[in-house]
Amino acid sequence: MTALTSGSGSAGNGAGAGLEFDAISFGPFSLRSRLLERDGAPVKLGSRAMDILRLLVSRAGEVVPKNEILAYAWSGLAVEEISLRVHVAELRKALGDGKDGARYITNIPSRGYCFVAPVQRGEPMPAAAPTEAVAPPPALPYRLDRMIGREDILPDLSARLLDQRFVTLRGPGGIGKTTVAIAVAHEMWDTFESKVHFLDLAPLKDATLVASTIAAALGLVVHHADPTDNIISFLRNRRLLIVLDSCEHVIDDVARLAESIHREASEVSILATSRESLLVEGEHIFELVPLPSPPQGARLSAGEVLNFPAARLFVDRAAAAGHRADITDEDAEVLAEICGKLDGIALAIELAAARVGVYGLREMAALLDSRLKLEWRGRRTAPPRQQTLGATLDWSFGLIGETERLVLQRLAVFAGPFTLQDAMAVAAKEGGQVDEVVDALEQLVAKSLLSTQPDGASRRYRLLDATRAYALHKLTESGQAQAVARRHAGYVQRVLEAGMGAQSGADQASRSQGRASLLADARAALEWSYANDAGAHLRVALAGSCARLFVELNLLNEARIWSQRALAMLDDTSRGSRWELELQATLGHAFMFTERNSVQAEEALRRGLEISEALGDNANTFRLLSRLNMFYRRTGDYRHLLPVALEAERVARLIGDTAGLAGAKALVGVSYHLAGNQTEAQLHLDEGVRNDAALRSTQPGHFAYSRTPQIPLARVLWLRGFPDRAVECVRPLTGAGAPRDVVMHCIALCWSASLYGWVGDWSAVESMTGRLATHAGMHGLSPYEAVAAGFRSQTMIARGDVKNGIELLRSALPRLRADRYELYASAFVADLSRGLAELGQLSEGRATLRETIGRIESEGGAFDLPELLRVRAELEASGGDLDAAEASLVSSAALAEQQGALSWRLRTEMSLVRLRRRQGSRHPLGDLAATYARFSEGFETVDLKAARLMLDETPA
C-alpha cells in the first residue's frame, strides 16, 4: 500500500530529520546540508538518495533498520522495499561504492544498511528554522521544487545545448515544455556565468515585436522597427544562453531571428520551446514525449504502478492538493487507467490530480471520459493558455487554418490510431481533393496536434485523448458529428470485410496487425450504429465484420454480446446471408468458452454450418465443423466426434490447403483419441505434426487456425506406452512454444496438466493449474476456471490432503456439470470416488463412479473407460466383492488392449496382482511382467517404478 502524499525525508520527522552539519567528509567526498561534492565538484543525487545518505552518515557505523530509512526518506508514505533498494543502488553508483576498493554502504541482511566509511565531522548544528524559498536567479522564472519524470533529460538537453547550440524543445500543449526549459535555464545558470535570458513569448500578439522584445531582454535600446542588426552586433563574441518559450504563434519571426543569431553569434546558445519546429538552418529537435504511464490491464501492484512517472506525478500533485488517501493494490489498476486516459500529458495529470480529493479515484476515471476535464482549472499563477486544457487547445486551434480545423475535427471520430488511407477516407470534404487531407495532416503533425509513430514502412497517427475530446466538441458544434460518424462506421465495416477475405499470402501478418489496430474504431462504430437510427442499415454487416475480429483477438465476451444483438435484428434480406453465418459461428464459439456448452451454442453452430453448406463456403464449413468437434469434445458426446472430423477432412481436401489438411488430421486424431482408438489417433496426429510448420505459420484469419497436433499427441503417446516422448512433446507447448490463441493456450495447459498427472509429476500439475487459473480469469474464460479447480483438487488428493481435495472437487464438479463440460469430469470423478472411499464413504464413492461409467458406456465409451473400470474394481475390492472386482479388471485390461492404451493396461495389471494376492494366487505376476516388457522407455515414471518394485518383490 502506498500513501497518496508527497514530500521527502528532508521535510519529515524521521530518525535523522533535523540534522545539519557544518561539514562532513569521507574519502574524497564532503557533505554540507544537501550538497554533496567530490573533490570540490558537485555530485548530482536525487532527493530520495540524498535523504538516505544524510540519515546513514548521521549514524555512521550503526545498522539503520530499513523501516527507519523508509520512514525518513518517504515521510508519510508506505512504500515497498524495492524503492529503497533502487535508491540505495543509485547512491552507491554516485559514490563509486566498490570501485578501487572503496566501501561506503553495506547491506546487513534482514536488518538494514550501515555507512562503513570513516567520517570526519564538525559538531552537529541545530536544524535551521524554516526559511523563505531561495529566489531564482535574476530574470528567470521559479522552477518547480520537484520535476517528476523529466529529471533524466536535463543532463542530455544541457549537453546538446553546449554541443549543438540551437535546440528546439518540441511537443504538444501541456506536455511540460516550459517546465523543462525553466529547469534547464536554472541548471545552466552557472555554466553561462549568469548570462541566461528567459523570454516568454506567449503574451505577444504582434509577431513583428519579437525582435524588439528580445532586444529589450538583452538590455539594448533601439530606435527603429527592426533591431535585428543591433541584436546580432551585441551578441557577436558574447557567450550566453537565450531561452525562447512558446514560439508557435510567432514562429516565422522567431525562426528568422534565431537562425541569424545562430549563424552570426557563434558563442550564443538558443533553446526554443514550440509545438512545431522552427524549420531553419542549425536547428536540432528535442522531442518531449509524454510521461511514461503504466500499461493498461497489466494488474500491477501499487508500488509497480508508482514506478511510472505519470503515476508518480499524479500522486505528488494530488498530495499537494491536500489528498492523503491511500493507493492500494486494488486502486492501482484505476490509477493506471487514469494515467492512460491522460496520455502522459503533464498539465492534464496535474489538473486531474488536483481534483481527486473531491471525486475520488474511481469517479475521476469516469469523469475523464467527459468533456469536463477540458474546463478544470489549474494554478491561478499559470499563463492563461495553461490554466485549463481547453485554453491550451484553444491556443493551438487558433494557430491553424480552416482546412486543418475541419480535418482535425473529422479525425476525432477515430477512437484509435489510424493510417493516411483511413484519414483520407473519413476526413476528406464531400467532393473535395484528398490532397487537402494530406497537407492538413502534415501541418497537424508539425504543430503537435497529431502524434505519429512508425508502422513498418508507413506511419500511424492518433490524437491525444484531450485533443480528441476538444475536437469532438468542435465537431458537434459544427453539426457534422452524425454524418462523420456514419462515414466512419461504413469505412470500418468495409475495411474489416475486406480483411476477412484475405486469409493467406506473404503479408498476412501485417494485414492481421492492421485489422487488430482497428479494434478501438470497431467498438466505437458498433456503439454509434446501435445507438443511432442513422446507423441502422449498417448494424448486421458491421457486427458480422467485427465478430471475426473479436474472435481473432480472443475478445469472446464482446463477440457473444454483439453477435446476439445483431442476430436479433435479422430481416428477410440478411437471413441465410454470409453475415448470419458469421454471427452464428461466432455466437456458438463464444458461448462455449465464456458461458457454457449449451444447446444454444450447438444450435448456433449447426445453423452456421447449414448456411455455409448452402452457400458453398468450404472455408467456413471447415471452421464450423472444427468448432462442432470442439463442442462435442467438451460435452463428452464422443460418438459425434469422428463423423464430424472425417467430414472436415473431406472439406479440407476440397480446399487443397496444406495447413488445412494438417488441421484436419489433428481433428481426426483427437477424435480417435477421445473415442478410444489410440493406434489410429497416433497415425493421424503424426501426420498432422509432419505438416505442423504450415499450420503454425497461419494467421488468425486462416480457416484452420490454431489446430496444434502436439497437444493431443502427447497424451496419446503416454497411453501408447511412451511416457518420455510424451513429456518431451508437451514441454514446449507450455513454454516458449505455447499457442498464441488464448483458448488453445488453455487447452494446452489442461491437457499438459492431465499428462503430468498420469506421469506422477504433481509439481508440474500444480504449476500448470496456477497458470491455467490466472490465464482463464484474465480472459474471462470461466469454464476453464472450474477445470483448474479440479486439477488443483487432484493434486491435493495425490499429496495426501484428501479431505480438502474432496471439498474442492465437490464445488468444481457441479460447475462443470452445469456447463456441460464433461471432458475432464470423468477423471475428477475417479479421484473423488477414491477419496471418498479413503475417508470411509465407500458407498457414496461407488455410486458416484457408477453414474459416470454408465453415462460413458451409454454413449459408446471413451479413452479413459479402462481406467474408470480399474478404479471401480479397486472400490469393489475394498467392499469385499472380489469376484466383481476381478470381472471389472478383466474388462479393463481387455478394453485397454483394444484401445491400444498400454499404460492403462499396466495400471490394470498391477491392480490384478494386488487382487490375486488377496485371492491367494501363487503366480500373480505373469501378465504384469509381460506388459512391463512391452515398454521401451519411461522407467523413471511413477507407474513403471511401481510395477518394477512389484515385480522385484516376489518371483513370478
Side-chain angles (χ1 to χ4, degrees), residues 75 146 324 343 720:
S75 176
R146 297 183 66 200
R324 298 181 63 86
D343 287 309
R720 297 275 290 144

Side-chain angles (χ1 to χ4, degrees), residues 38-53:
R38 181 188 178 106
D39 297 326
V43 177
K44 189 168 182 60
L45 270 186
S47 62
R48 304 288 189 201
M50 176 61 76
D51 291 334
I52 294 167
L53 177 62

Side-chain angles (χ1 to χ4, degrees), residues 429-618:
K429 296 178 182 176
E430 289 76 1
Q433 297 294 319
V434 294
D435 289 349
E436 290 183 338
V437 177
V438 176
D439 292 341
L441 205 67
E442 181 179 346
Q443 290 302 310
L444 292 172
V445 171
K447 293 174 171 61
S448 299
L449 284 165
L450 273 181
S451 61
T452 178
Q453 60 187 36
D455 180 29
S458 60
R459 302 191 74 81
R460 285 192 176 272
Y461 307 87
R462 70 179 287 261
L463 280 75
L464 298 180
D465 191 61
T467 307
R468 180 171 181 258
Y470 178 90
L472 278 174
H473 178 69
K474 292 290 186 183
L475 182 65
T476 301
E477 286 184 337
S478 72
Q480 300 183 58
Q482 288 287 75
V484 174
R486 183 169 55 249
R487 184 190 294 189
H488 170 261
Y491 175 71
V492 169
Q493 191 277 319
R494 292 193 300 275
V495 172
L496 288 176
E497 181 181 1
M500 290 168 62
Q503 296 188 2
S504 61
D507 61 343
Q508 176 62 29
S510 63
R511 281 200 296 266
S512 296
Q513 184 177 354
R515 283 171 58 77
S517 70
L518 283 170
L519 175 60
D521 287 289
R523 288 167 167 163
L526 282 169
E527 292 287 355
W528 176 84
S529 65
Y530 279 77
N532 293 274
D533 291 340
H537 68 289
L538 285 169
R539 288 171 183 166
V540 171
L542 180 60
S545 302
C546 293
R548 178 77 67 90
L549 176 66
F550 289 144
V551 172
E552 290 172 9
L553 299 178
N554 298 295
L555 300 169
L556 298 185
N557 278 304
E558 286 183 76
R560 173 176 51 79
I561 291 168
W562 286 110
S563 295
Q564 284 182 293
R565 292 188 67 177
L567 286 169
M569 295 185 173
L570 291 178
D571 56 22
D572 292 340
T573 62
S574 53
R575 285 191 183 89
S577 68
R578 60 177 301 203
W579 296 126
E580 187 191 354
L581 186 164
E582 195 67 42
L583 293 166
Q584 297 283 10
T586 298
L587 182 63
H589 179 75
F591 255 123
M592 268 196 289
F593 297 107
T594 63
E595 294 287 331
R596 58 192 299 269
N597 303 301
S598 62
V599 173
Q600 185 179 3
E602 183 180 12
E603 289 176 348
L605 294 174
R606 284 288 182 186
R607 172 60 180 160
L609 180 61
E610 177 186 332
I611 298 171
S612 70
E613 290 175 337
L615 295 175
D617 186 343
N618 286 331

